[in-house]
Amino acid sequence: MSQVVITGTGLFTPEHAIDNAALVASFNAWVDAENARHGDAIAAGEREPLPHSSTEFIVKASGIHSRYVLDAEGILDPERMRPRLPERGNDEPSIQCEMGLAAAGEALGQAGVEAEDIELVIVACSNLERPYPAVAVELQEALGAGGYAFDMNVACSSATFAIEVAANAIRAGSITRALVVDPEICSAHLNFRDRDSHFIFGDACTAIVLESDAVATADARFEILGTRLVTRFSNAIRNNAGFLNRVSDSDPQAFDKLFVQEGRRVFKEVCPLVAALITDHLASLELGGDDLSRLWLHQANRHMNDLIARRVLGHDPNPQQAPIILDRYANTSSAGSIIAFHLHRDDLPSGALGVVCSFGAGYSAGSVVVRRQ
């Protein structure tokens, strides 16, 4: 079995950013207009007025202060409140392909690998631009990569699930190099008119190069000691948008065709699931929380990360042990844990151990235990 190492990562960050104050101002302007429109019903007690949002509420609920998005103008327009991303022609590169090219270029540069030497490309994310042809095959062509490519979706866990698939292919000897890309356009499936979630998501794309240690040339390598995945069905996080909407005569603009969740239930059910996954995975490798130098966790909610880290480590984590990037990136779905790994790994000494872990809708969770070589 070939030893698998991560030799490069890349990150694409959109140029537009929206802080909480701007997002709240847009949301509250829409609320005021809606309450005025339904003023008579509200006065008659037939309808409850919509409440305002606030920066304090957002930070307390999530720890998020800002987010990067592909388009800020459309989101902040109270009459639109969704990004404006013009449709592209079939002969133009897709948005996710462009995002993937940017992130992959950095990852390949770090690894010292030419695109033509990549034998597997996986595009793994929570939402894809189209059903087919696969964005991964388009990206493979744009990069000039070899081998084969495919898309996959396990929502917020897509990156770690794809890492296991790629690592297994390398371990089995069928390929020697793989590229995992996570182009997340989360702003397109977020309901910016829902007070409980209008602040949650941002956009980003990450890329990871995995290689057989026998062919890797990069100085900085993280050996994958093991991967473990778990799924458990739940409706607590859901998006009902799909190709059957048009034949079911459902409203394409309905609330459930965007991201919806039962936040308190998710917190209660996901945290113990993820903590147990990591703890059991470590135990199978004869390791424990005390052996870890770092936890690169999914970046959805500061309170969830703190609780999971505390259960795994056995004590409150410091900022170095469980770095947080959601304060400025918000929830970028599957890209979040990889952004944390990308930005907070270079200071680790040789031999240091860490866990990359993502979790979310499904429920799904993936754990990747790595050691700095």
Side-chain angles (χ1 to χ4, degrees), residues 108-168:
L108 291 167
Q110 281 189 7
V113 170
E114 298 296 326
E116 63 189 26
D117 295 324
I118 295 293
E119 299 163 277
L120 167 61
V121 177
I122 304 176
V123 167
C125 57
S126 58
N127 283 281
L128 290 155
E129 283 190 58
R130 58 176 185 265
Y132 45 81
V135 174
V137 178
E138 179 188 7
L139 179 59
Q140 175 194 26
E141 173 73 13
L143 285 168
Y148 62 106
F150 59 89
D151 295 340
M152 63 181 292
N153 175 1
V154 201
C156 293
S157 299
S158 295
T160 49
F161 275 60
I163 287 172
E164 180 179 75
V165 171
N168 284 343

Side-chain angles (χ1 to χ4, degrees), residues 317-372:
N318 63 46
Q320 288 71 42
Q321 290 174 310
I324 295 293
I325 59 92
L326 66 84
D327 55 345
R328 62 190 188 278
Y329 278 89
N331 183 346
T332 53
S333 193
S334 68
S337 59
I338 309 304
I339 296 175
F341 178 70
H342 175 76
L343 297 177
H344 296 280
R345 73 168 193 268
D346 291 342
D347 62 316
L348 292 179
S350 177
L353 296 170
V355 175
V356 179
C357 183
S358 60
F359 43 89
Y363 297 128
S364 61
S367 170
V368 181
V369 180
V370 297
R371 177 170 57 203
R372 176 85 185 245

Side-chain angles (χ1 to χ4, degrees), residues 10-32:
L11 171 62
F12 164 78
T13 300
E15 61 177 311
H16 303 289
I18 301 175
D19 63 17
N20 287 347
L23 196 67
V24 166
S26 171
F27 179 84
N28 289 348
W30 172 77
V31 165
D32 290 341

Side-chain angles (χ1 to χ4, degrees), residues 17-237:
I18 301 175
D19 63 17
N20 287 347
L23 196 67
V24 166
S26 171
F27 179 84
N28 289 348
W30 172 77
V31 165
D32 290 341
E34 283 294 289
N35 287 340
R37 187 160 68 93
H38 298 284
D40 292 342
I42 293 172
E46 299 170 356
R47 182 186 181 102
E48 290 294 321
L50 296 173
H52 280 172
S53 184
S54 71
T55 57
E56 295 79 12
F57 162 69
I58 293 173
V59 173
K60 182 178 180 181
S62 66
I64 296 169
H65 291 264
S66 184
R67 71 281 299 143
Y68 292 96
V69 295
L70 290 177
D71 174 67
E73 184 179 358
I75 293 170
L76 295 178
D77 180 354
E79 296 185 3
R80 180 179 176 86
M81 300 185 78
R82 63 186 186 275
R84 184 175 283 104
L85 304 174
E87 184 176 10
R88 298 188 177 191
N90 290 347
D91 295 328
E92 296 178 277
S94 67
I95 299 173
Q96 289 180 315
C97 180
E98 284 190 344
M99 296 168 72
L101 281 171
E106 182 179 9
L108 291 167
Q110 281 189 7
V113 170
E114 298 296 326
E116 63 189 26
D117 295 324
I118 295 293
E119 299 163 277
L120 167 61
V121 177
I122 304 176
V123 167
C125 57
S126 58
N127 283 281
L128 290 155
E129 283 190 58
R130 58 176 185 265
Y132 45 81
V135 174
V137 178
E138 179 188 7
L139 179 59
Q140 175 194 26
E141 173 73 13
L143 285 168
Y148 62 106
F150 59 89
D151 295 340
M152 63 181 292
N153 175 1
V154 201
C156 293
S157 299
S158 295
T160 49
F161 275 60
I163 287 172
E164 180 179 75
V165 171
N168 284 343
I170 295 172
R171 290 189 188 104
S174 60
I175 63 169
T176 57
R177 295 184 178 92
L179 176 69
V180 172
V181 180
D182 316 292
E184 294 287 7
I185 312 177
C186 301
S187 64
H189 69 92
L190 177 58
N191 185 352
F192 287 97
R193 292 174 174 168
D194 176 21
R195 181 178 181 273
D196 290 336
S197 65
H198 75 110
F199 52 87
I200 289 180
F201 288 112
D203 302 331
C205 180
T206 53
I208 311 111
V209 174
L210 298 91
E211 301 183 75
S212 166
D213 193 49
V215 300
T217 60
D219 293 331
R221 309 180 194 182
F222 284 81
E223 176 190 357
I224 297 179
L225 299 183
T227 56
R228 180 169 290 192
L229 313 176
V230 64
T231 54
R232 181 185 301 166
F233 183 72
S234 171
N235 276 316
I237 310 172

Side-chain angles (χ1 to χ4, degrees), residues 241-282:
F243 79 102
L244 290 179
N245 294 156
R246 65 184 294 269
V247 296
S248 63
D249 297 328
S250 58
D251 179 4
Q253 302 299 324
F255 184 82
D256 70 324
K257 302 306 185 292
L258 298 169
F259 167 83
V260 292
Q261 72 166 354
E262 300 174 49
R264 290 182 177 85
R265 179 182 165 196
V266 171
F267 187 95
K268 181 179 179 181
E269 295 176 349
V270 168
C271 289
L273 173 71
V274 174
L277 170 69
I278 298 174
T279 300
D280 293 346
H281 189 194
L282 291 172

